[in-house]
Amino acid sequence: MKLHRLAVATFLATAAMAAHAEITVSPMVGYHMFDNDKNIDDEAESSLALGYRVNPNVGLELRYGFANPTSKTSGAGDVRHEMATLDTYYRFNVENKLQPYVLIGGGLARGTGSGGAGYVEHTIANVAIGTFYEIYDNLAFRAELRGVEDMQESDHDGIASIGVTYSFGGAEPAAIAPAAVVAPVAVKVDGDDDKDGVLNSADKCPGTPTAVVVTADGCPKVLMETVSREMRVLFDTDKSIVKPEFNDEIEGVAKLLKEYPTATVEIQGHTDSRGSASYNDALSQRRADAIANVLVKNYGIAANRISTKGYGASQPVADNKTAEGRAKNRRSVAVAEGEVKVTVKK
């Protein structure tokens, strides 16, 4: 009964430990050489070992062996011999196929037979040497020589066995790649180099003068302002020829148009009240066109930036009943206008 309890308890403990580890099963056959004092013949033995590998070198093993020798006592018949041990072993050269080992352990042995040719359970100790030879990753040939000491009777048995060992579970953990070496990163402290109140990381216009107002992105705040220049040119009666004395007036408009590329100009032509309406309309248009030609030819202003319109005598600025008034009405006027960005100062 003790032998059975030892076998069951050891099996359960080993199975629990091996739930997530490598376990081994080793069926073996051999030859049991009994001590002469036992008075039984040597006999073939079968055994089964269940093992748990603590690590690649060290393992625990529960072994059960059975033999059916014949008693040397006349008329005693066969003897049933059983042995259960809990052993630990150490494997050498685990990186090679051939792996010698040494083993030590202990347990119980029991022999029973008919006619009184038997003995009760005895405590035993055993040592062994052997070797594994790996055939596959999970299958190995096994050979062993074991010595058994009966602690009560001081008997000495020997067992020579061969068999196979099958391993399962306990897959080797995946190799962990070495951690990548990360070079230290210099951390630059955010500042405000141009002292405009906007940090460098958000400043889209570095180097802004300190005297100007800036927006949230660090760029100068600008406003659009309208610039304009007026021109007034007078003409002789019934003429559309531009007189040299008005060149400065025309040049002033040309300068504004050149300085502000988006600026445009509208030139208006006018007459006094003498003559028919249709004639005056045509004359006023010629006067406006004459000013436009000067801007294009003499100052290189693009024609598409200039518009002209003749208003005839419809918009007098003076009394047409007097010579002085009529002279003021024979005119061309212009207003050049454009938008300019103005930086806002603090």
Side-chain angles (χ1 to χ4, degrees), residues 223-242:
L223 298 176
M224 299 300 295
E225 290 188 357
T226 300
V227 293
S228 64
R229 173 65 185 264
E230 293 186 0
M231 177 201 73
R232 182 177 295 271
V233 176
L234 300 180
F235 293 88
D236 291 336
T237 302
D238 199 22
K239 301 293 183 182
S240 59
I241 298 172
V242 179

Side-chain angles (χ1 to χ4, degrees), residues 123-329:
T123 303
I124 60 173
N126 60 193
V127 294
I129 59 172
T131 187
F132 295 96
Y133 183 82
E134 287 191 351
I135 303 171
Y136 301 108
D137 288 343
N138 62 345
L139 182 65
F141 171 78
R142 182 175 181 178
E144 180 183 280
L145 292 176
R146 183 181 295 250
V148 182
E149 174 79 11
D150 188 319
M151 306 303 291
Q152 274 83 16
E153 301 294 338
S154 298
D155 292 339
H156 307 285
D157 293 357
I159 305 171
S161 304
I162 59 172
V164 294
T165 296
Y166 177 74
S167 305
F168 57 95
E172 293 186 5
I176 300 175
V181 178
V182 180
V185 178
V187 178
K188 185 177 180 180
V189 178
D190 209 354
D192 181 14
D193 294 343
D194 57 6
K195 303 296 187 295
D196 61 359
V198 179
L199 294 177
N200 294 337
S201 59
D203 198 337
K204 295 182 180 179
C205 299
T208 304
T210 56
V212 302
V213 177
V214 297
T215 58
D217 58 5
C219 293
K221 184 176 182 179
V222 295
L223 298 176
M224 299 300 295
E225 290 188 357
T226 300
V227 293
S228 64
R229 173 65 185 264
E230 293 186 0
M231 177 201 73
R232 182 177 295 271
V233 176
L234 300 180
F235 293 88
D236 291 336
T237 302
D238 199 22
K239 301 293 183 182
S240 59
I241 298 172
V242 179
K243 294 187 285 186
E245 61 191 86
F246 295 105
N247 285 345
D248 289 345
E249 289 283 324
I250 299 173
E251 185 176 358
V253 172
K255 286 182 178 180
L256 183 141
L257 293 173
K258 288 184 175 182
E259 184 175 355
Y260 303 103
T262 61
T264 59
V265 61
E266 181 187 76
I267 303 172
Q268 302 174 359
H270 300 275
T271 67
D272 60 25
S273 60
R274 291 178 296 178
S276 66
S278 59
Y279 182 84
N280 285 337
D281 287 343
L283 177 59
S284 64
Q285 184 64 49
R286 290 196 299 272
R287 287 173 174 170
D289 291 341
I291 302 297
N293 288 335
V294 173
L295 289 172
V296 172
K297 293 180 180 180
N298 294 358
Y299 297 100
I301 305 302
N304 61 0
R305 299 173 63 192
I306 305 169
S307 61
T308 61
K309 183 172 179 60
Y311 289 90
S314 63
Q315 296 181 5
V317 293
D319 189 355
N320 277 311
K321 293 180 180 180
T322 66
E324 183 181 358
R326 290 191 295 272
K328 291 180 180 179
N329 289 333

Side-chain angles (χ1 to χ4, degrees), residues 30-42:
Y31 195 70
H32 194 132
M33 295 160 281
F34 293 96
D35 190 289
N36 289 332
D37 290 344
K38 285 187 170 68
N39 202 30
I40 54 178
D41 292 331
D42 298 340

